[in-house]
Structure formats: structure tokens, C-alpha cells
């Protein structure tokens, strides 16, 4: 039994295919994790890297307490089940299950005990003397499961184990595997392209596309809170309806207009607090996502609803307990082909309507999803990144929603009205006896999303710890805010990352080495991180990571990007040459704006003139510039 930790895992195949990009995940002991996504998205590659069947190009993989990047598969304490069963045809079922244990030279009694137990769990006791060819696909897969569980692995890896089975058997085996997981109390990682399999089995699901993780969440959260259009469309049957549309804010309401049709509804602005105001201009295109069950044709629901659209029915699919009504919100649309006006409605079996009817449908607006038309990311993210608020700058003060903050010298802009962006992680709440009411604090995947009342609206903060309901004070980290006027950012947030260019260098250095009590001069190879004009000693462990990930040649020739925070560079005797252009005074903190080569970077502290900046080597991230792989 063990948890796993995957940190910045990449896979680049020798032919250059980047199969997995920056995979990050902590898997707790006993979880049932499913990797799901269309063919070629990188799920098997990730699983095979965990198994040790593929090298990890960059990143760190831990199973339990151990970093296993360089550990042989047999030493990783994992067992793997494949789609094609991979049984030995000339051996009996017993021998197949016992094979690995015999290789490991376990005592005969122990082997007998484990095989008998596994066969019982899997219901194949009566087949132990048979050969695989005498068995059905489902039974063969049970044998390969048996072979995996007798090893009593810390982690079970399953790669599309049910793909070769027919639909009925697949459903049956699905619940058997879930049962097996509950019984074994072992961490399971399961790969499938079938979203139903993923949804029914996983405690958490990793949705992947084109080598990138799209979202990691519980089945329920993926369904209810998809972070982007791909996840929204991939999870759930029938597929979510997507319409193109625009949003227009009119006072305290927002009009949602569906393109290529006359459909429009008006919803309260409070629903859109998490959305950037530029989406609400009636111009920016969005996708409106509605699941089939978020649309109703039930006459009573329709009668009571304020959110109605017209649908021209094209055909129905009677599924017994429910009917899927296919239609179009464009009265000239055909309702058959997938389009941005086609709609599928889940209705009960008694729903009465026929082809050609134009009916009213009610929308459950609490279940509307909105995505950016270009990036396809949700514009109402569950963990919001920013608060978007109208504000005014007046006589050195920032005024918004009844709050007033004194602006520090670093923020200079003429008096007037602006759009204010406050990142949710720039707001801290605490103290008491203040005007702010904390309405809610929700734990979302380990982060606490705090919603609080400020003036007439809700704002959000994201905290690492729970915040109590009730009255509180807020504090805003003003170096993180931006001010926008007429679509242009006039006050920029201070960059949180500094990126500098450089290389990895090796040099032969003469050192005094002690052998048998005598000192001798010896040439040793030392590694250095060349950052701009500065050469820093590079720890051997970091050099090894870079050489392993990039190959011996490229590691010393290719450009690297070093990334750190403004707090990780300090003024010192030796270091990177920089000239200080100005000092940003945020009140509590000051930052020197430094020119380093072509780069401008804000560095914590007050400094003037020509300086040397020393980076904290252990805080540096190192990125291979050519293919944007974060190696350290
Ligand atoms: P999935 O399991 O999601 O179907 P894979 O992990 O098998 O996807 O593959 C991810 C990507 O890596 C695909 O583009 C595939 O073509 C590529 N790929 C897989 N194996 C190799 C290989 N040995 N050499 C080169 N490219 C590979």
C-alpha cells in the first residue's frame, strides 16, 4: 500500500513526440485513480512511466517514500494488468497466477495459499487446472488480475483491462474490479478511453488531452464543474449541448444571447461575479453549455420558469425510462447534425411532442456553463483567479464597493474610474469587528475559496486555510493588483516570476583530494549554472537531473531558462550584474526594478546603482528552453 507523487513529469519519445507534459499529481494511498481521454492523449505512457516500462524524460516520481525514476520495474512493488491479458498459453491458470511468485522463489505453501485466495476472490477456483485457451475473455482477464494481486503490490496498474470484452461483460467486470479494490485496499491506477468506466470506478479521475492534464477531480465534480469545454463535452452522455453566444450586462442583469437563433434569456448579474467584465460586453463570443437534463419540457416547469427558449423538435430517442428529444433552437435548423444550435433534451418517457413541433423549453440557469470561445476555458471557474470590480482612484486612494485603500507610492495613475483586478490570492481575511461578512468558505481540492460581502456584491479570496464565517477584515496585497482603463492595463501587477537565460557548464577543477591520509592534486569535473554573466556552483544532483533529462550533449549546449521569485535574488558581493532603474515602494515592501541584460526584473529590497544579484540556487526552477520542459 502506498501513495504516489508525480511532480513535473514529462515524456518525450526519441522521435520528438511530447507524449506527456508537466503531469503533477499527488495520489493518496488506497485511491482508485482513472486516467481517461481519447486515444493518443498520453494516458498509457503515463501509466508505463509509473510501471517503469518507459523512462521518465523529466520530473520526479515517488511511490511511497521512494523516488523511483531509476528503479527497475521489478523493484517498484507494482503489478500491472494489460488489455491483452498476456497469459502464457502453455501454462495452466494456476501456473500462470503462480508464475511471478515462483520466480521470486516464494515457499510452495505460500504460493498455494496466495493463488487459492486470489482464485476465490475472482471466482475462478474451478478453472485453476485449465489452460487459458479453454477460457472466455472475461475469465482470462480474471486470471491476469489474479496474477497481479498475488504479488500483493503497493500499487495496481491497469491498462484498458476491459477493452477486449463485450459490453455486458465489461459492465460486470467493472463492478468486480471496483469490488476488488475495496477488498484489497490497495492504490489502483486504471487507464481507459471510456468515460463511463472512468465515472463509475474512479475515486478521482484525470482527464487528459494531447499530452496535457485537463482536470483532476472526483466524478461528481468533473460532471458538475468542468474546467473547460473539452472536459464538459467528454464527460457525460448525451454530450453537453454547446451553443455559441454573447453576454451583455445591463445594470444588475446579464442578457445571454444564443447566436444563429432568436433565443435569449436574462439572468441576475450575481451569477457572473466570477466572470471578467470584458465577457459581458455583448461582443465577446462564449460557448454556452447546458446538459440535456438542465433543459426541461415538463409543462409545469416551463410554466414556472423565467428562462425559456423555443425549440423546434426534430426527432426523439425513446430509451425506456427517459426520452431524448432532439431539436434545434434555430427554427430552420434540422436537429440531426451536431451544430451550435442543435439541442438534446432529457425528458421523461411521457413527454408529448412530435417532429416539427415548436415547443418551449425551460433552462436551469444554475447549471449553465460558460466557456471562452477561443481558449475554451470556463469563464466562471470554480476556483476563481481574479475579482473584477469597478473602482475609482482619487487623491491617492483606491475606492471600490465602499472600501477605501491608501495607494502606496509604487502605484501612480491619474484620478479617474478604472476596472480593478484583484487576484483571489492577494486578499487575506482575518481579524474581527470589521465591515466584511464572510459568507462561505468552501474546500475545493485542498484550497479554500472564501466568498465575502463587500458593498453590494460578493468577492472571492483563495486561502490555504479555512476562514470562519462572520465578520472579518480584509487586506489586499497591492503589488498584485492591476488597473485597466478602456481595455488597457495602466497599472500592472508586479511580475511574480523572474526568468533569466543561461546554460549548464562543466569545468575541470584541480582539487586537493585526501587518499590514505595523503593529499593529492586531482582533476575533478564541477558543474556550474551560467546565468547571464554569473557562474554559480551547481549541486551534482541538479546537474544529474539536467543531464538525464536532456542527454549529455544537449545539457551543455542548449539554452536554459532559470525561473525564481523576486524574493529569491539578493544583493551580494558576487552575482549577476544588474543596474537598478527605480525602486517600487509598496509600503510594507520595497522592490528594486533591475535591468539584467535585456530582462527587467523586480527584486525584493531596496537597492540603487550597479549591483550584483545572487540567486538562491535551491529555489531556482530550470526549464529547457527549446521544448519548454521544466526539469527542476
Ligand atoms: P493513449 O494511451 O492515451 O492512447 P499513448 O500514451 O499510448 O496514448 O500515446 C501518447 C502519444 O505518444 C501518442 O501521440 C503516441 O503516438 C505517442 N507514442 C506512444 N508510444 C510511442 C513510442 N514508442 N514512440 C513514439 N511515440 C509514441
Amino acid at each position: 500500500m502506498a501513495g504516489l507523487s508525480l511532480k513535473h513529469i514529462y515524456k518525450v519519445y526519441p522521435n520528438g513526440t511530447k507524449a506527456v507534459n508537466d503531469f503533477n499529481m499527488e495520489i493518496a494511498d488506497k485511491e482508485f485513480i482513472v486516467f481517461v481521454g481519447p486515444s493518443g492523449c498520453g494516458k498509457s505512457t503515463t501509466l508505463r512511466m509509473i510501471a517503469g516500462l518507459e523512462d521518465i524524460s523529466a520530473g520526479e516520481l515517488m511511490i511511497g517514500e521512494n523516488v523511483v525514476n531509476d528503479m527497475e520495474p521489478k523493484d517498484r512493488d507494482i503489478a500491472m494488468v494489460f488489455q491483452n491479458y498476456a497469459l502464457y498459453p502453455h501454462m495452466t491458470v494456476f501456473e500462470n497466477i503462480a508464475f511471478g511468485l515462483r520466480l521470486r522463489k516464494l515457499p510452495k505453501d505460500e504460493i498455494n495459499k496466495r493463488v487459492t485466495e486470489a482464485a476465490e476472490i475472482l471466482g475462478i477456483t474451478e478453472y485453476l487446472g485449465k489452460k487459458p485457451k479453454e477460457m472466455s475473455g472475461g475469465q482470462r482477464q480474471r486470471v491476469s488480475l489474479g496474477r497481479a494481486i498475488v504479488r500483493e503490490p503497493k500499487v495496481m496498474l491497469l491498462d484498458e483491462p476491459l477493452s477486449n470484452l463485450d459490453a455486458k461483460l465489461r459492465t460486470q467486470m467493472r463492478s468486480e474490479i471496483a469490488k476488488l479494490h475495496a477488498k484489497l485496499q490497495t492504490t489502483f491506477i486504471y487507464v481507459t478511453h471510456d468515460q463511463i468506466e472512468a465515472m463509475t470506478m474512479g475515486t478521482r479521475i484525470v482527464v487528459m488531452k494531447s499530452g496535457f492534464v485537463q482536470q483532476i477531480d472526483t466524478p461528481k465534480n468533473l460532471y458538475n464543474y468542468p474546467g473547460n469545454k473539452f472536459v464538459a463535452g467528454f464527460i457525460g452522455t448525451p454530450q453537453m449541448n454547446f451553443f455559441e453566444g454573447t453576454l451583455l450586462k445591463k445594470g444588475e442583469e446579464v442578457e445571454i444571447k444564443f447566436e444563429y437563433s432568436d433565443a435569449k434569456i436574462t439572468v441576475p448579474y450575481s451569477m457572473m461575479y466570477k466572470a471578467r467584465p470584458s465577457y459581458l460586453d455583448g461582443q465577446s463570443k462564449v460557448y454556452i453549455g447546458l446538459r440535456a437534463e438542465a433543459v426541461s419540457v415538463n409543462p409545469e416547469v416551463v410554466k414556472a420558469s423565467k428562462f425559456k427558449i423555443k425549440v423546434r423538435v426534430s426527432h426523439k430517442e425513446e430509451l425506456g425510462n427517459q426520452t431524448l428529444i432532439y431539436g434545434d433552437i434555430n427554427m430552420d435548423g434540422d436537429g440531426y447534425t451536431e451544430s451550435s444550435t442543435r439541442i438534446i433534451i432529457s425528458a421523461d418517457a411521457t413527454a408529448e411532442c412530435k417532429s416539427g413541433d415548436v415547443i418551449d423549453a425551460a433552462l436551469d440557469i444554475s447549471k449553465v456553463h460558460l466557456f471562452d470561445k477561443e481558449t475554451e476555458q470556463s469563464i466562471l471557474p470554480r476556483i476563481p483567479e481574479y475579482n473584477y470590480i469597478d473602482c475609482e482612484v482619487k487623491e491617492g486612494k483606491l475606492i471600490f464597493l465602499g472600501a477605501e485603500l491608501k495607494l502606496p507610492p509604487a502605484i501612480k495613475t491619474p484620478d479617474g474610474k478604472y476596472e480593478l483586478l484583484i487576484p483571489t490570492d492577494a486578499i487575506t481575511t482575518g481579524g474581527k469587528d470589521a465591515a466584511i461578512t464572510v459568507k462561505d468558505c468552501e474546500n475545493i481540492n485542498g484550497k479554500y475559496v472564501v466568498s465575502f460581502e463587500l458593498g453590494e456584491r460578493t468577492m472571492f479570496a483563495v486561502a490555504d486555510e479555512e476562514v470562519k464565517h462572520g465578520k472579518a477584515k480584509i487586506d489586499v496585497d497591492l503589488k498584485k493588483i492591476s488597473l485597466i482603463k478602456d481595455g488597457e492595463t495602466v497599472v500592472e501587477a508586479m511580475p511574480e516570476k523572474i526568468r533569466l537565460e543561461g546554460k549548464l557548464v562543466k569545468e575541470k577543477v584541480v582539487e586537493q583530494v585526501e587518499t590514505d591520509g595523503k593529499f593529492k592534486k586531482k582533476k575533478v569535473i564541477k558543474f556550474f549554472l551560467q546565468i547571464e554573466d554569473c557562474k554559480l556552483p551547481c549541486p551534482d544532483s541538479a546537474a544529474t537531473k539536467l543531464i538525464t533529462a536532456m542527454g549529455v550533449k544537449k545539457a551543455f549546449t542548449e539554452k536554459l531558462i532559470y525561473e525564481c521569485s523576486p524574493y529569491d535574488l539578493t544583493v551580494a558581493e558576487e552575482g549577476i550584474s544588474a543596474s537598478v532603474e527605480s525602486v517600487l515602494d509598496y509600503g510594507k515592501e520595497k522592490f528594486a526594478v533591475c535591468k539584467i541584460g535585456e530582462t527587467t526584473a523586480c527584486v525584493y529590497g531596496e537597492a540603487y546603482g550597479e549591483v550584483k544579484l545572487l540567486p538562491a540556487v535551491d529555489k531556482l526552477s530550470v526549464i529547457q528552453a527549446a521544448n519548454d520542459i521544466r526539469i527542476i
Side-chain angles (χ1 to χ4, degrees), residues 21-87:
N21 294 274
D22 208 11
F23 194 119
N24 288 290
M25 186 176 187
E26 298 296 320
I27 299 175
D29 186 20
K30 300 181 193 155
E31 273 199 278
F32 194 134
I33 298 294
V34 182
F35 296 166
V36 71
S39 177
C41 70
K43 43 192 195 300
S44 294
T45 302
T46 311
L47 195 77
R48 292 169 63 81
M49 284 194 283
I50 297 172
L53 304 174
E54 283 301 342
D55 287 339
I56 297 171
S57 305
E60 186 180 87
L61 171 67
M62 289 178 82
I63 299 180
E65 303 294 304
N66 306 316
V67 175
V68 299
N69 286 49
D70 300 321
M71 199 185 267
E72 289 289 316
K74 66 177 174 42
D75 301 327
R76 292 191 184 194
D77 225 343
I78 46 117
M80 191 147 169
V81 177
F82 299 89
Q83 177 179 345
N84 60 6
Y85 325 130
L87 300 178

Side-chain angles (χ1 to χ4, degrees), residues 116-137:
T116 316
E117 266 176 24
E120 249 165 55
I121 292 173
L122 296 161
I124 48 170
T125 308
E126 60 194 283
Y127 301 99
L128 284 173
K130 295 201 167 160
K131 298 263 174 71
K133 68 170 185 294
E134 299 169 67
M135 305 178 82
S136 70

Side-chain angles (χ1 to χ4, degrees), residues 335-396:
Y336 281 91
T337 30
E338 202 179 320
S339 73
S340 57
T341 53
R342 204 270 301 268
I343 187 167
I344 305 173
I345 303 167
S346 167
D348 55 39
T350 56
E352 279 177 26
C353 60
K354 55 184 189 314
S355 176
D357 284 358
V358 173
I359 55 173
D360 278 328
L363 310 183
D364 180 351
I365 61 146
S366 67
K367 298 203 174 125
V368 170
H369 299 270
L370 296 169
F371 306 98
D372 181 294
K373 174 93 191 301
E374 299 306 320
T375 65
E376 302 195 347
Q377 295 298 311
S378 169
I379 68 166
L380 302 172
R382 214 172 161 219
I383 302 183
E385 273 185 61
Y386 288 99
N387 292 286
Y388 307 96
I389 311 151
D390 290 330
C391 75
E392 190 178 356
V393 172
K394 201 172 163 191
E395 292 160 4

Side-chain angles (χ1 to χ4, degrees), residues 111-379:
I111 295 178
N112 279 341
K113 183 171 152 273
R114 287 199 197 182
V115 175
T116 316
E117 266 176 24
E120 249 165 55
I121 292 173
L122 296 161
I124 48 170
T125 308
E126 60 194 283
Y127 301 99
L128 284 173
K130 295 201 167 160
K131 298 263 174 71
K133 68 170 185 294
E134 299 169 67
M135 305 178 82
S136 70
Q139 288 161 344
R140 283 185 218 182
Q141 195 51 291
R142 284 197 189 96
V143 177
S144 71
L145 281 167
R147 192 177 42 189
I149 63 179
V150 290
R151 299 185 55 180
E152 299 178 353
K154 282 188 188 154
V155 184
M156 283 274 276
L157 306 175
L158 303 103
D159 193 356
E160 304 250 10
L162 308 184
S163 295
N164 285 356
L165 308 180
D166 64 43
K168 185 156 176 267
L169 201 52
R170 246 190 351 245
T171 316
Q172 188 192 334
M173 286 294 284
R174 228 159 57 198
S175 32
E176 284 190 23
I177 291 179
K179 209 166 84 191
L180 188 66
H181 171 251
K183 191 165 181 102
L184 297 179
Q185 297 277 311
T186 305
T187 313
F188 273 44
I189 306 179
Y190 186 105
V191 160
T192 178
H193 62 274
D194 179 346
Q195 61 96 13
I196 296 184
E197 231 167 81
M199 292 292 275
T200 49
M201 299 173 88
T203 48
R204 282 194 302 157
I205 299 172
V206 181
V207 185
M208 298 182 72
K209 182 192 163 200
S210 313
F212 288 89
V213 171
Q214 303 292 304
Q215 193 168 346
I216 302 177
D217 221 324
T218 59
K220 209 163 143 193
N221 283 342
L222 283 180
Y223 190 82
N224 291 326
Y225 309 105
N228 62 36
K229 182 174 174 252
F230 175 78
V231 175
F234 191 76
I235 301 288
T237 25
Q239 197 193 300
M240 186 186 277
N241 296 297
F242 294 112
F243 310 98
E244 286 176 44
T246 52
L247 312 167
L248 180 62
K249 182 169 180 286
K250 294 177 169 173
E252 283 309 297
E253 293 185 321
V254 175
E255 183 182 86
I256 305 181
K257 206 169 164 307
F258 295 70
E259 289 278 286
Y260 319 114
S261 93
D262 297 329
K264 63 180 172 198
I265 56 168
T266 303
V267 303
Y269 173 45
S270 57
M271 222 189 108
M272 304 277 175
Y273 284 158
K274 285 181 181 171
R276 193 176 185 127
S278 57
Y279 285 115
L280 310 180
D281 62 357
Q283 305 284 324
S284 309
K285 293 274 192 306
V286 296
Y287 283 113
I288 305 158
L290 277 164
R291 293 203 187 274
E293 70 272 18
V295 189
S296 176
V297 292
N298 178 323
E300 277 169 34
V301 177
V302 172
K303 204 170 153 207
S305 173
K306 285 191 287 177
F307 313 105
K308 282 182 259 206
I309 57 171
K310 291 228 172 294
V311 174
R312 188 169 182 277
V313 177
S314 71
H315 63 289
K316 295 199 282 189
E317 273 178 11
E318 312 269 1
L319 301 175
N321 60 342
Q322 66 162 347
T323 298
L324 294 180
I325 300 173
Y326 284 70
D328 216 295
I329 61 168
N330 176 347
M331 298 305 118
D332 298 325
D334 71 5
Y336 281 91
T337 30
E338 202 179 320
S339 73
S340 57
T341 53
R342 204 270 301 268
I343 187 167
I344 305 173
I345 303 167
S346 167
D348 55 39
T350 56
E352 279 177 26
C353 60
K354 55 184 189 314
S355 176
D357 284 358
V358 173
I359 55 173
D360 278 328
L363 310 183
D364 180 351
I365 61 146
S366 67
K367 298 203 174 125
V368 170
H369 299 270
L370 296 169
F371 306 98
D372 181 294
K373 174 93 191 301
E374 299 306 320
T375 65
E376 302 195 347
Q377 295 298 311
S378 169
I379 68 166

